[in-house]
Amino acid sequence: MQLPKFVLADNSDFPDDIFVIHLDFPRFIINLKDDEVEFIEDLEGEDETELESEMEHLISLAGEFYDKEMEGYEE
């Protein structure tokens, strides 16, 4: 099965929060309410500088994904 790069999630226990889940490496969940990131996997041993740069890019892509999805709901 091929998975999408990003998916949206919400939860009634967190009614004000919207989550974007990144399903490629490095897998993570970002809460768009406060931009808090939680990694789903252990990243020990990864190059921190490279990972930091990649995360900046992926977080930007996650925001773009969310905006695009919301445009679809508005139409």
Side-chain angles (χ1 to χ4, degrees), residues 6 13 23 28-30 32 34 36 44 51 61 65 67:
F6 294 103
D13 291 336
L23 296 172
F28 63 88
I29 300 170
I30 182 169
L32 295 180
D34 57 13
E36 185 177 347
E44 191 172 314
L51 183 60
L61 289 177
F65 166 76
D67 291 342

Side-chain angles (χ1 to χ4, degrees), residues 21-23 26-29 38-42:
I21 303 168
H22 181 252
L23 296 172
R27 291 180 297 201
F28 63 88
I29 300 170
E38 182 73 31
F39 288 97
I40 299 172
E41 56 201 338
D42 181 18

Side-chain angles (χ1 to χ4, degrees), residues 5-36:
K5 188 172 190 156
F6 294 103
V7 293
L8 284 177
D10 64 2
N11 187 297
S12 60
D13 291 336
F14 304 92
D16 297 328
D17 298 6
I18 297 177
F19 303 94
V20 174
I21 303 168
H22 181 252
L23 296 172
D24 288 343
F25 182 82
R27 291 180 297 201
F28 63 88
I29 300 170
I30 182 169
N31 184 340
L32 295 180
K33 177 180 152 189
D34 57 13
D35 291 336
E36 185 177 347

